[in-house]
Amino acid sequence: MTDVSKEEHAETVASLTLKFFKKILNVFPDLKKYDNNDDLLLLKYGAYLHDIGVIFEKKLGRGHHKIGRDLILENKISGLDETSNLIVANIVRYHRKSLPNILKHETYALLGEADRKKTDVFASIVRLMDAVDYNHFNMVDDMEILYEETENILTLTLGVNIMLNVGYVEVLDKKKKFFEKVFKTEVLFN
């Protein structure tokens, strides 16, 4: 993978994340409190920077999600206050692997309850959109959503059939679980 594809992947995930957030606003009205420039900037930064630790992963022998969190905390994003930097760092941290745990994860525990909820929402969306561009081929640039309220099922129809690509079904099934937990809904792909 070239540096250009890493940048393109970051841009794709950031774009998909913001588009998806806007599409689910009417499905999950509680999200409207985050539909403002300040919060959307945090979501965009978290999505764009989610893989920032990849280049150090082999050298440091740690997961890039944790390295990325630490890079943000050590270097701070200009223009953001301490809490905002913590939120972005935690979005990056939780875009893969484990779920947030206030008892085990110190950086997450530093956030107040409302900011932990915001982090959960944003990180679960970034994790889901990262899965949509799992192969880093930028095959999906938009999606349609359908929410079946009686069944509590959110179906994402992607512009191309990425499900035919090796490994996608497993990745999507794994990465959607955080979103399903946060939003208390089942996610299907079409």
Side-chain angles (χ1 to χ4, degrees):
M1 185 178 345
T2 66
D3 289 335
V4 173
S5 69
K6 289 177 187 173
E7 185 176 330
E8 288 173 355
H9 173 65
E11 289 172 3
T12 297
V13 172
S15 174
L16 288 172
T17 295
L18 293 173
K19 287 177 183 177
F20 181 68
F21 177 82
K22 290 294 188 179
K23 288 179 185 285
I24 63 173
L25 279 173
N26 291 328
V27 174
F28 303 105
D30 286 351
L31 293 181
K32 291 183 180 178
K33 64 186 167 201
Y34 306 131
D35 191 19
N36 60 72
N37 290 337
D38 292 339
D39 285 335
L40 291 176
L41 184 63
L42 300 181
L43 178 59
K44 180 179 177 180
Y45 280 151
Y48 192 81
L49 297 172
H50 76 280
D51 278 347
I52 194 170
V54 166
I55 59 174
F56 301 107
E57 194 167 33
K58 286 185 182 174
K59 181 179 180 181
L60 297 177
R62 295 176 44 220
H64 72 269
H65 55 300
K66 293 178 182 178
I67 295 168
R69 172 204 59 204
D70 295 344
L71 284 170
I72 292 166
L73 293 175
E74 291 166 10
N75 297 289
K76 306 289 187 243
I77 298 169
S78 179
L80 296 186
D81 64 20
E82 185 68 27
T83 299
S84 296
N85 270 287
L86 272 170
I87 290 169
V88 174
N90 278 293
I91 293 169
V92 169
R93 163 65 171 97
Y94 297 115
H95 87 274
R96 68 185 291 251
K97 298 245 178 178
S98 67
L99 299 179
N101 184 324
I102 194 170
L103 300 176
K104 293 182 180 179
H105 303 151
E106 181 181 320
T107 308
Y108 183 71
L110 292 171
L111 294 168
E113 184 177 346
D115 290 326
R116 286 192 307 271
K117 177 64 176 165
K118 183 186 306 183
T119 298
D120 293 350
V121 166
F122 288 175
S124 71
I125 293 171
V126 170
R127 186 183 289 206
L128 189 62
M129 293 302 103
D130 183 38
V132 169
D133 193 44
Y134 165 68
N135 63 10
H136 296 208
F137 290 164
N138 307 318
M139 294 169 52
V140 177
D141 62 359
D142 203 359
M143 71 206 69
E144 296 299 321
I145 65 162
L146 175 66
Y147 182 63
E148 297 173 26
E149 191 170 357
T150 56
E151 299 292 322
N152 203 24
I153 297 173
L154 181 69
T155 302
L156 280 69
T157 302
L158 308 172
V160 295
N161 193 351
I162 63 172
M163 304 302 270
L164 297 176
N165 290 282
V166 175
Y168 254 105
V169 173
E170 293 83 9
V171 170
L172 291 170
D173 282 346
K174 183 173 142 186
K175 287 202 160 205
K176 73 178 186 176
K177 292 184 185 337
F178 187 18
F179 184 91
E180 290 176 331
K181 180 180 179 187
V182 170
F183 288 87
K184 297 175 179 57
T185 190
E186 184 179 358
V187 176
L188 300 177
F189 294 92
N190 188 4

